[in-house]
Amino acid sequence: MVFPPRGDKRGGYIMKTICLYFEIHQIIHLKRYRFFDIGTDHYYYDDYENERSITDIAERSYMPALNALGDMIAQHGKYFKVAFSLSGTGIEQLEYHAPQVIAKLQELGRTGCVEFLAEPYSHGLSSLANEETFALDVKKQCAKIEELFGQKPTVARNSSLIYSDDIGGQIAAMGFKGMLTEGAKHVLGWKSPHYVYNCNIAPNLKLLLRDVELSDDISLRFNNAEWDGYPLFADAYIDRIARFPEDEKIINIFMELSALGIAQPLSSNILEFIKALPVCAKEKGIDFATPTEICMKVPSVGAVDVPDTLSWVDEERDCSCWLGNAMQREAFQKLYSVADRLRIANDPRINQDWDYLQASNNFRFMTTKPSNVGLDRGIYSGPFDAFTNYMNILGDFINRVNALYPLDIDNDELEGLLTTIKNQGDEIEMKDKEITRLKAKLEKYEAEKPAKKPAARKKAAEKKEE
């Protein structure tokens, strides 16, 4: 692969550009569910903890951070751009318990300076298990984004930036222009994340790679007094970007929105740092752009070969935090063993449970590997406790699926039966509409009959007189 030389028309016409992106996702907390609850209790969630946690994060992080970003847009206008993605499960929690966050995001969306990206609705691992389920998961989230914010996403990101060549191919087949993923050293090698790349098996899909160091300096290290870079100031941060080689123009800074207020408390002046970034960037001739703007304007310098999955989690930047031990793999395989049946059935009564049980956090709680980021397991005392509780819930859930759609009916037969039922339902609906139409026509005819009789009698009388 050859990078464009300095001044080349492919890389020289665009200013250095920061792509700033925030993820919003909320854990759905499961309740303590014991073996003897299987078959008797079909509700799996800790409503108190879900309300408490989303209310807390909205007050301490989301609203202050979004207000700060709104102030930045008001101050800098179209110069400042920012992107968000929201998991469907996170949206549901915000709608229930913190609708002010949704309202603020809608307000920001109307400025024309904000882009909303696609991602799996469930924030799950379906991309590693079932291609059709993954496609439906993303499509469902896109529909929700379009409903809430009036934008049809054109750039996607997977849960925790999970990516491989195959996943890129799936995303490209869905019609997306670009995808966000991790600028992992073991993938890039000597290459820089500051270029636009493309998927190895789908050249039309642009890839924006996260600058790991610049992103983690804000999201993980900003308030760490023992860090060599502490304290971090906006002018010094932007100076580092300005000193990158001239051809390295695309600086992708991706993180969770909760980094602003939770991971890095507001008392650390994290919002003042963020608000100063566009001021300092403008002085250095550095621009801001959304992912779609970059994908549309900036050509790829070449493909990135990613045969194995990568993510933005832990030092390994792989999927071992979710699927690294036997417990996780057993839970994962059992969950997705019913994926095809659920997709075919599309039963609204169990689809919500399906979304919540897919969430990657459920598998993260079962990890046995050390992490450089603290892991709060909530009600669980350890990975085995998390595994046991989840498998009890999963056992009840799968029993419900099997009761609705028995295992002795294979997937093809089930699809045929459900198609027949749907067609019969559609036919009944059409006949009901026709009956309603004919009834209305008859009622109109009956209503007009008395009005016509006097006129007919008058006409007959006039004819007799003649």
Side-chain angles (χ1 to χ4, degrees), residues 130 132-133 136 334-347 350-351 354 397-415 417-418:
N130 190 294
E132 292 83 0
T133 298
L136 285 177
K334 186 171 184 180
L335 174 68
Y336 284 102
S337 68
V338 295
D340 289 330
R341 301 177 72 75
L342 290 177
R343 188 186 69 258
I344 294 167
N346 193 26
D347 190 316
I350 56 178
N351 278 350
W354 172 240
F397 176 74
I398 291 179
N399 285 346
R400 289 166 56 204
V401 174
N402 292 338
L404 287 169
Y405 311 107
L407 286 172
D408 56 0
I409 303 176
D410 64 31
N411 287 343
D412 291 339
E413 186 179 358
L414 174 61
E415 187 167 15
L417 288 171
L418 292 173

Side-chain angles (χ1 to χ4, degrees), residues 115-258:
E115 179 179 358
F116 294 95
L117 309 186
E119 70 164 86
Y121 190 96
S122 67
H123 199 269
L125 305 174
S126 56
S127 62
L128 305 177
N130 190 294
E131 186 172 338
E132 292 83 0
T133 298
F134 178 53
L136 285 177
D137 211 3
V138 174
K139 183 178 179 181
K140 182 177 180 180
Q141 189 263 0
C142 288
K144 190 67 174 178
I145 292 295
E146 193 166 3
E147 173 194 330
L148 286 176
F149 306 112
Q151 291 188 21
K152 184 177 180 179
T154 57
V155 172
R157 58 92 66 184
N158 199 2
S159 309
S160 300
L161 297 190
I162 293 173
Y163 178 80
S164 69
D165 292 336
D166 289 339
I167 293 171
Q170 294 175 49
I171 289 292
M174 296 179 209
F176 291 100
K177 293 182 175 66
M179 187 173 186
L180 275 52
T181 189
E182 181 77 340
K185 291 181 180 178
H186 71 275
V187 169
L188 283 174
W190 58 270
K191 305 182 189 76
S192 166
H194 304 146
Y195 296 88
V196 174
Y197 296 89
N198 63 265
C199 174
N200 193 35
I201 64 173
N204 290 333
L205 184 76
K206 301 283 187 66
L207 298 179
L208 303 184
L209 308 185
R210 186 176 86 115
D211 185 305
V212 176
E213 185 176 351
L214 287 174
S215 300
D216 288 353
D217 281 354
I218 298 175
S219 62
L220 298 182
R221 295 184 279 269
F222 184 81
N223 195 45
N224 182 3
E226 298 180 358
W227 171 45
D228 291 342
Y230 181 87
L232 181 61
F233 295 105
D235 56 352
Y237 187 84
I238 294 297
D239 282 345
R240 286 165 57 192
I241 295 174
R243 289 195 298 270
F244 288 144
E246 182 182 345
D247 291 335
E248 297 188 16
K249 295 187 180 297
I250 306 302
I251 316 300
N252 300 308
I253 301 172
F254 305 159
M255 68 192 79
E256 296 177 354
L257 186 61
S258 60

Side-chain angles (χ1 to χ4, degrees), residues 237-288:
Y237 187 84
I238 294 297
D239 282 345
R240 286 165 57 192
I241 295 174
R243 289 195 298 270
F244 288 144
E246 182 182 345
D247 291 335
E248 297 188 16
K249 295 187 180 297
I250 306 302
I251 316 300
N252 300 308
I253 301 172
F254 305 159
M255 68 192 79
E256 296 177 354
L257 186 61
S258 60
L260 311 183
I262 303 297
Q264 308 305 321
L266 298 181
S267 58
S268 68
N269 293 322
I270 184 67
L271 294 185
E272 286 70 19
F273 170 85
I274 293 292
K275 291 170 77 171
L277 289 179
V279 177
C280 299
K282 190 178 291 186
E283 292 176 354
K284 294 290 185 179
I286 298 172
D287 204 359
F288 283 82

Side-chain angles (χ1 to χ4, degrees), residues 15 76 86 160 162 200 206 242 263 278 311 329 331 351 380-381 384 421 425 466:
M15 302 164 59
H76 300 285
L86 297 86
S160 300
I162 293 173
N200 193 35
K206 301 283 187 66
S311 76
R329 292 189 291 272
N351 278 350
Y380 305 124
S381 59
F384 184 74
I421 293 170
E466 292 175 357

